[in-house]
Amino acid sequence: SKTLEGKIALVTGGSRGIGAATARALAENGADVAISYASSKDRADAVVEDLKALGVRAKAFQADQANTDEVSGLVAAVVSHFGRVDILVNNAGVFVMGQVHDRANNVAELDRMFDVNVHGVATAVRAVAPIMADGGRIISIGSIVGDTSPWPGLADYSATKGAVAAYTRGWARDLGPRGITVNTIQPGPIDTDMSPADGEMAPTLSASTALGRYGKPEEVAAAVAFLAGPQASYITGATLNVDGGITA
Ligand code: NDP
C-alpha cells in the first residue's frame, strides 16, 4: 500500500513551483491534499484536478500567508473539510532582494517578506500543532541562504529562512514528545517562477553547484514526501539541503 494513504496534508502555496510538485508527490503516495494559494486561482484549480486524477481527495483554499487571520482561517477550513491535518508543508514564500545601505529599498516590501516567510509559517504551525495527531509531520521549505549568504542583497531573505530553520529546531523540541517531527528542507536553485533556469543569475548558479545544473521542483518534492513518510520517523529538528551540492 502507499506510504501516506489515509493521511491529510496541507501544502501552502501549492498553485505553482515547488508547492505544486510537493502536492503531487504527497498525492502519489496516497495522501489527501489541501493546497493554499494567494492569487493564482486557475492554477490552483488545475493542480486540484491533477491531484484528483491520482485518486485522492483534494481542494484549494485562497489564503494570504501575510495575514494571520487568513492563515488561521485556512487551517480551520482544512480541518472542517478534511477532518484533520496530519502533514503540514510550509512552502509558500516570496523572494525580495535589497542591500541594507540602498536608500531606494522598498522597506515595506522587505518587511512583508518577513510576514509571509516567517510569521505565516509560525501562524500555521501555531494553528496546526494543538490539533495535529501524534506522529504528525511538519516540513518547511527554507533555503540554503538560511545558512549562507553567497552574494549581496540577500540579507532580508536569508534572515527569513534562517528564522524558519531556528523555529524548526525549537518546534522539534516542543512536539517531539508527541512523535511529531519538524524539519526544514533547504533548496538550492530550483527551476520555478521565483528562480527560472533561464534567468539572469542561472548560469552562475548552475556553475556553483556540484552537479552543474538547476534542480527541478520534483527533486525537492521527493525529499518532502520522504520526510512526510514513516521511513523518516527518527529525523527531527533537521535541515536537509536539496541543492545539487551548491553548499558542498
Ligand atoms: P514560486 O514563486 O514558483 O511559487 C510560490 C508559491 O507560493 C505560489 O503557489 C504562490 O501562490 C504562493 N504564495 C506566494 N506568496 C503567497 C502569499 N502571500 N500567500 C499565500 N501563498 C503565497 O516559488 P517556488 O516554488 O520557487 O518557492 C517555494 C518555496 O521554496 C518558497 O518558500 C521559496 O522561498 C523556497 N525556495 C525556492 C528556491 C528556488 O530556487 N525556487 C530556492 C530556495 C527556496 P500564487 O500562485 O497564488 O501566487
Side-chain angles (χ1 to χ4, degrees):
S1 75
K2 295 177 175 173
T3 53
L4 300 180
E5 214 148 328
K7 303 290 184 193
I8 310 293
L10 166 59
V11 180
T12 65
S15 46
R16 296 183 281 131
I18 292 169
T22 295
R24 189 177 172 86
L26 298 176
E28 281 170 347
N29 285 305
D32 292 331
V33 182
I35 62 167
S36 75
Y37 64 97
S39 53
S40 309
K41 182 177 188 323
D42 291 350
R43 299 191 66 165
D45 289 343
V47 170
V48 165
E49 288 314 307
D50 206 39
L51 300 177
K52 284 181 175 166
L54 295 167
V56 303
R57 292 190 295 157
K59 190 170 167 63
F61 300 83
Q62 198 277 333
D64 179 3
Q65 284 288 121
N67 184 312
T68 306
D69 291 340
E70 289 188 25
V71 175
S72 308
L74 165 67
V75 171
V78 172
V79 169
S80 131
H81 186 81
F82 288 98
R84 52 178 207 285
V85 176
D86 302 303
I87 300 161
L88 169 65
V89 182
N90 296 303
N91 165 80
V94 289
F95 174 62
V96 183
M97 287 186 77
Q99 297 190 46
V100 67
H101 52 83
D102 184 356
R103 290 182 189 281
N105 274 345
N106 185 344
V107 172
E109 207 187 348
L110 292 170
D111 285 350
R112 186 172 188 278
M113 184 162 60
F114 236 92
D115 292 339
V116 175
N117 294 8
V118 182
H119 296 140
V121 172
T123 304
V125 172
R126 286 171 185 149
V128 164
I131 53 113
M132 185 174 257
D134 291 6
R137 296 281 188 268
I138 298 173
I139 300 147
S140 300
I141 309 299
S143 166
I144 50 131
V145 304
D147 287 341
T148 64
S149 271
W151 56 83
L154 286 177
D156 288 87
Y157 181 71
S158 291
T160 68
K161 296 305 189 180
V164 167
Y167 260 136
T168 292
R169 292 185 284 271
W171 290 329
R173 291 284 182 187
D174 290 348
L175 300 173
R178 291 164 49 196
I180 296 172
T181 68
V182 191
N183 293 290
T184 294
I185 288 174
Q186 302 192 142
I190 308 298
D191 183 18
T192 68
D193 296 338
M194 183 184 284
S195 176
D198 58 1
E200 203 183 314
M201 286 294 293
T204 310
L205 290 170
S206 291
S208 305
T209 66
L211 295 175
R213 65 171 177 87
Y214 253 65
K216 298 190 280 276
E218 292 74 20
E219 293 178 297
V220 178
V224 179
F226 167 67
L227 289 175
Q231 306 275 37
S233 49
Y234 202 57
I235 303 174
T236 195
T239 54
L240 172 61
N241 291 0
V242 179
D243 68 352
I246 202 170
T247 50

